[in-house]
Amino acid sequence: MNRIILYIAAIVFLSTSVGMAQVIHVKSPNGKIDMALESGDKISWSVKHENTEVIAPSTISLTLGGGVVLGNNAKVISAKNSKVSTTFATPIYKKELVTDEYNQVKVKFKGGFGLILRAYNDGVAYRFFTSKKGQILVESEEANFNFSQDHKAYVPYVRDLRENNMYISAFECNYVEIPLSKFVKDSLAISPLLVDLGNGKKAAIIEADLEDYPGMFLTRNNQTQQGLKGGFAHYPKEERLGGFNNMNYMVVKREPYIAKTSGTRNFPWRAIIISESDKDLLNNDMVQKLSTPSRIADVSWIKPGKVAWDWWNDWNLSKVDFKAGINTETYKYYIDFAAKNNIEYVVLDEGWSEETDMLKISPSMDVEELINYGKQKNVGIILWASWYAINQVLDDAFSKYSQMGVKGFKIDFLDRDDQKMVKSIYDISKKAASYKLLIDFHGMYKPTGIQRTYPNVVNFEGVKGLENAKWTPIDDMPYYATCIPFIRMLAGPMDYTPGAMRNATRADFRPSNSMPMSQGTRCQQLGMYIVYEAPLQMMADSPSAYMKEQESTTFISQIPTTFDETVALDGKVGEYVALARRKDDRWFVGGLTNWSAREMSIDLSFLGEGTYSAEIFKDGINADKDPTDYKREIVKVASTDKLEINMANGGGLAIIISPEKF
C-alpha cells in the first residue's frame, strides 16, 4: 500500500472510501466554499458554495507523450496543507494593495506529478505540477467544468476556426445568453465565461499564470448536457503570412501535441470565481492573486496614462492648413493637442513604417523629429507594429527606437494563444522591460496574469471594443458595455478605446470609417474612462472632435488610469454598472446602462469625513433623442449623501469628487 501522509486540520482533510478512492477537501477561510478532489481510477474535482453545487464532479488529467495519463489510477503519496493571509502591492492596477488570503493543499501522486488546490473566499483554483527530468510532451489536457443544473450562461463564442486544428481568433466576442445545454456542439468559446447559478450567485471560469503553454478555449462536454471542457491549440508546425493585409502569421499545420515544455514545472491555474451578487464581480483580484509576482525589480519608470489615438478617427482633422494623414505635420498636431490637455502619450498606428519591416520608416514620417517634439511638450510616443514584423527584428527594433526615445509599442495581429505565441509574448515583455518600454497587446487573447509578472504590459485588447462601431451596424454595444465589466474585466485590463464625441441613438447609429460614432450617450463614453480598467487608456476620437467638445475633453483629462482603491457600488450583468475609484484624495465614479433608461442611486458612504465638491456629468433631459446632450453640474456632497441620477437609454454618468479645501 502507498504511504499516505494525513493532515487533519480545519482547512483540509483526506479520507479513504470504498475501492480505496481518496478524497481531499480544502475550504475557504470563511468556510463557505468547499473544494473536493477525489482520486482513484480517475481524478475529479468538485466545488460547493454553502448549499449550492458550483462544479459537479469533473475529471481532470494531463496526457503526456506516449499516451501516459497523469490522472489514471492516481495514488496519493502526500497531501500538505498551508494557509496564507497577506497583502501585496500593485502599483499598476485598480488598487494599491491586494488582499491575498487562501487555504491550500499540495497533493503529490506517484509518478512524478501532483496538484495544488486553493480555496479563497471568492473562488477556487487548481493547477497541475510535474517533477520529471528533461523535457516532456503534453499531448492533451482534460479540464472539465460540469454543472448539476442547466444554468444560464453568458457565452462568448469565437468563430469556429478549428478546421485542420488551427484555433485562430481575434478574441473579440459578443455574449450569448443561453442554457448550458444549448451550447452549440463543436463550437468554441473563450474565458472568462460566466454561469448564473441562481439566487444571485454567479460562477466565472478563468485561467491564470499562463506561461509556456497554450491558452484554454471552452467547448461543450458531450458526455453531459450541461458541462464544458477545455480545448487547446496544438503546437504550430507550419506557418505563413496571411489574414488582414497579410499581417497575420497564420498556422497551416500543427503538431500532434499541445506543448513541449520542461518536465519540472507548474502548469496554468484553472479557476472558478464565485460571487454572491453581481457587483462582487466588479472588484475581483483572482487573476492577480494567482499570477507570478513582478519580475521587474524597479517599476518606477512605468508610467501609465492616456493616449491620443489616430486610427479610429482616420487621422481626420479639420481647420488645418495641411493634408491630414500619416505624416509628420499631422502627428505634431496630435502632440500639440495632447500637451494642451495633459495627455501623456500619442500613438503612431499602422503606416508609420513598412508593414513587414518596421526598421524602414515611411518617407512621409520623421519619427525622430516627432519624438524630440514630444519631449519638448512632455508627450511620449508609442509605436504600432504587427507581431510578425516586430518579432523578426525584436532586438534591433527595441534598441533602435528606445535609443530614439520611444516609450513603448502597441503590438497587433497576434490572434493566437498556442504555446509558441504565449512564449513569444513573455519573451517580448521581458525584452521590452530591459529597454524600459511599455507594451500594449492588440489582436490578443485575454490577459492571464502577465500584467502582474511584467507590469510594463499596460493593456490588452481581447475585447470587442469601440473600433467595431466603424463597421458593425448590428452589435448591441450598450448591452456589451454592461457585460464586460462583470466578465471580460475579471481577466484584467482591456483596451476598449472609448472616447467617441459623436454619439447616436439606436435608430440613428450607422458605421462610418472617417466620421465614426458610438452607440449610446456622451456620458456613457465618459463613464467608461472610470469603469473600464486600462492603465494605458486610449482617447479614440480626433483632436478636432475633442476641441469642439472641450468641456468633455477637460473632464476626461482629469481621470487617472490607475487607482489606489476601487469600490463596487451596484450592478447587474448586461443591465447596468456603477463603481467608484480613488486616486490620492479624489474619487471618480462611473456608471453605464444598457438601452434601458434608469435612475441610479449613488451611495457616497465610501467618502471620508468632511465635505466634498462633486463635478457631475449626467445625461441631458433630451439625451434620448440627442445622445450628445448632457448636463454638467457642481454640487457639495458628504459621505451621508446619496446622488439620484437619471441615465438615458444607452446612457451613463461620470463624477469627480474632490475634498473641499479650507
Side-chain angles (χ1 to χ4, degrees), residues 344-506:
E344 291 85 351
Y345 300 101
V346 168
V347 65
L348 278 56
D349 213 286
E350 177 189 1
W352 68 270
S353 71
E354 289 192 9
E355 287 181 352
T356 56
D357 187 351
M358 57 177 302
L359 298 179
K360 293 182 179 178
I361 298 173
S362 169
S364 64
M365 297 287 295
D366 190 332
V367 172
E368 193 160 13
E369 182 182 347
L370 289 170
I371 292 167
N372 292 331
Y373 188 72
K375 285 179 182 177
Q376 297 169 25
K377 305 273 187 172
N378 200 29
V379 175
I381 298 297
I382 293 173
L383 301 177
W384 178 93
S386 71
W387 172 81
Y388 174 81
I390 200 166
N391 206 45
Q392 306 308 302
V393 290
L394 192 60
D395 270 307
D396 290 342
F398 282 177
S399 176
K400 175 179 179 176
Y401 294 115
S402 65
Q403 287 179 40
M404 279 189 185
V406 164
K407 299 300 182 182
F409 283 86
K410 176 182 174 181
I411 300 175
D412 206 346
F413 291 103
L414 294 84
D415 294 344
R416 293 159 37 191
D417 67 350
D418 51 47
Q419 184 192 19
K420 179 178 179 178
M421 184 59 75
V422 172
K423 184 179 185 305
S424 173
I425 286 165
Y426 274 81
D427 291 344
I428 288 170
S429 303
K430 181 180 179 180
K431 183 75 67 177
S434 71
Y435 287 100
K436 295 189 175 180
L437 292 168
L438 306 178
I439 296 294
D440 176 14
F441 283 118
H442 265 238
M444 165 74 176
Y445 60 85
K446 79 284 177 189
T448 57
I450 194 174
Q451 64 272 23
R452 183 182 177 199
T453 309
Y454 289 103
N456 61 315
V457 181
V458 285
N459 217 341
F460 306 79
E461 196 175 23
V463 66
K464 197 173 178 67
L466 189 65
E467 68 175 9
N468 289 270
K470 286 168 70 78
W471 56 72
T472 307
I474 60 173
D475 283 349
D476 185 341
M477 298 185 79
Y479 167 78
Y480 186 72
T482 52
C483 283
I484 51 179
F486 302 92
I487 308 176
R488 163 59 180 82
M489 211 161 70
L490 291 171
M494 54 188 192
D495 204 357
Y496 183 90
T497 69
M501 292 294 104
R502 285 173 293 275
N503 316 111
T505 64
R506 195 172 198 172

Side-chain angles (χ1 to χ4, degrees), residues 647-662:
M647 293 191 291
N649 318 64
L653 62 90
I655 309 170
I656 298 177
I657 305 175
S658 306
E660 290 199 319
K661 307 294 185 182
F662 298 99

Side-chain angles (χ1 to χ4, degrees), residues 8-9 67 94 96 154 187 204 222 260 265 280 310 345 356 370 425-426 492 504 538 638 645:
I8 305 298
K94 62 189 175 187
E96 189 175 20
Y154 297 80
S187 63
N222 292 323
K260 184 176 183 179
R265 63 161 296 174
D280 295 339
D310 50 4
Y345 300 101
T356 56
L370 289 170
I425 286 165
Y426 274 81
M538 300 286 169
I645 298 177

Side-chain angles (χ1 to χ4, degrees), residues 123-162:
V124 299
Y126 77 83
R127 77 188 316 174
F128 278 94
F129 66 88
T130 52
S131 52
K132 297 179 179 292
K133 294 180 179 179
Q135 285 196 313
I136 57 174
L137 290 180
V138 181
E139 291 184 358
S140 63
E141 177 181 347
E142 180 186 23
N144 285 310
F145 305 88
N146 295 331
F147 295 87
S148 59
Q149 297 181 41
D150 194 14
H151 299 301
K152 181 178 78 171
Y154 297 80
V155 179
Y157 285 119
V158 297
R159 287 186 301 162
D160 190 0
L161 298 179
R162 286 188 294 173

